[in-house]
Amino acid sequence: LAAAFPELEIASVGTRPEAAEEIHDADCLLTFGAMMRDEIFQGARQLKWVQALGTGIDGIADSPSLGNEVVITSIRGIHGEPMAEMTIMLMLALSRDLPRTIRAQDRASWQRWPARLLQDKTVGILGVGLIAEKLAPLCKIFDMTTLGITRTERPVAGIDSFHGRDELVQVVPELDYLVVLVPAMPKTRNIVDEKVLAAMKPGAYLVNVARGEVVDEAALIVALTEGGIKGAALDTFTEEPLPPDHPLWTTPNTIITPHLGGFCDVYPEKALPQIETNLRHFLAGKNDQMINLETR
């Protein structure tokens, strides 16, 4: 960006305190919503535009101190492949108990057990958007039955049947895997709650690569500890970074990854064209022509 826009003064920061210090005179901010806190926006005196570096704008749009006059844009259309690959990896890791293998390797202990196949299992995808469009066909490669759970039914390759979000409790008893892809918003907060977890099969797995707020973490800990479900793979959490003393670190049959879903080796080159387009429009005073404009 510095090479493409030599007229700009660009400050790169790595911590929230640094961001709070630099934002005083900033006209625009590029950030991931999960990294933000409202107190950072409290010091913004002339902020005009926030470019979310991911799809989600939670942590930005819901900040009380961010004025309504501030334009918000996001990155769209580049997360399908990395998120779908991450989800398949987590499903395989759960079904083959990969953490157990790694722990045995650390002890130089030769252990064997039968793997559980994805083949002929049923997966429910909660939130059928652009990521699900990439994930569903991959699930079909493994000969899985794939159910879409969403607000709006639309043609998506690889989805065998659709169900409304209001049917979630009725649908989850059929599932071997529940994959959560819904964005964080008031209507989806704790959408996977105690009732949903109680309705799942004891042998079922939960995979959350969406946002921590959409899963009731306390209810999930109980379900995993008491054997209500078989296991979970979690990439996102209500509080990030996940505190070292958080009980999820030691909850049985749980895989923890540090919000890696869309993070990949080619992310900058995929995201930068959208950022550069928006930056050119912003500098030209043509905010209405910016792409992926978000509403609040």
Side-chain angles (χ1 to χ4, degrees), residues 2 12 15 23 56 70 76 78 102 108 114 117 139 150 167 201 205 214 219 234 273 277 280:
S12 177
T15 67
I23 204 168
V70 179
R76 299 282 179 183
I78 69 170
I102 300 301
L117 298 182
C139 292
T150 184
E167 302 176 80
K201 294 190 291 190
Y205 296 100
V214 302
L234 311 172
T277 295
R280 294 188 191 283

Side-chain angles (χ1 to χ4, degrees), residues 5-239:
F5 301 93
E7 71 275 24
L8 291 184
E9 179 182 345
I10 300 177
S12 177
V13 299
T15 67
R16 293 189 183 104
E18 290 174 348
E21 182 177 340
E22 292 287 349
I23 204 168
H24 292 298
D25 302 316
D27 296 289
C28 47
L29 171 68
L30 280 60
T31 185
F32 287 97
M35 296 180 175
M36 294 304 294
R37 296 293 184 270
D38 184 64
E39 54 264 27
I40 297 176
F41 289 118
Q42 291 174 8
R45 295 186 294 227
Q46 58 188 48
L47 192 64
K48 303 175 182 67
W49 166 44
V50 179
Q51 170 70 63
L53 296 176
T55 301
I57 59 170
D58 49 302
I60 300 173
D62 52 0
S63 293
S65 299
L66 186 67
N68 291 327
E69 74 282 358
V70 179
V71 175
I72 301 175
T73 55
S74 61
I75 301 294
R76 299 282 179 183
I78 69 170
H79 301 88
E81 289 84 359
M83 293 288 286
E85 287 188 18
M86 178 75 169
T87 302
I88 292 294
M89 181 198 75
L90 292 174
M91 292 169 65
L92 287 169
L94 287 168
S95 65
R96 291 184 172 263
D97 202 351
L98 185 61
R100 181 180 174 186
T101 304
I102 300 301
R103 294 185 188 108
Q105 178 181 345
D106 291 340
R107 300 191 306 270
S109 175
W110 184 272
Q111 298 181 27
R112 302 177 71 241
W113 56 87
R116 176 177 179 174
L117 298 182
L118 298 187
Q119 184 182 30
D120 297 328
K121 302 301 191 299
T122 299
V123 56
I125 302 176
L126 177 57
V128 183
L130 295 175
I131 296 170
E133 290 181 2
K134 297 294 183 180
L135 175 61
L138 291 182
C139 292
K140 299 307 292 183
I141 290 175
F142 289 91
D143 295 324
M144 303 186 80
T145 299
T146 308
L147 310 183
I149 308 165
T150 184
R151 289 182 302 175
T152 307
E153 181 177 339
R154 59 190 181 84
V156 175
I159 300 290
D160 294 298
S161 63
F162 281 94
H163 307 269
R165 282 186 191 169
D166 57 344
E167 302 176 80
L168 184 57
V169 173
Q170 289 74 41
V171 172
V172 292
E174 305 177 36
L175 307 180
D176 299 293
Y177 300 85
L178 174 60
V179 175
V180 185
L181 292 178
V182 289
M185 55 183 61
K187 290 184 178 180
T188 60
R189 184 173 181 81
N190 286 342
I191 189 171
V192 180
D193 58 10
E194 182 180 6
K195 291 181 179 179
V196 172
L197 293 166
M200 294 176 67
K201 294 190 291 190
Y205 296 100
L206 173 72
V207 178
N208 183 16
V209 289
R211 285 291 189 269
E213 292 82 358
V214 302
V215 173
D216 184 335
E217 291 179 346
L220 177 60
I221 291 170
V222 171
L224 289 164
T225 303
E226 297 183 356
I229 62 174
K230 179 68 173 177
L234 311 172
D235 188 47
T236 57
F237 307 89
T238 303
E239 183 179 358

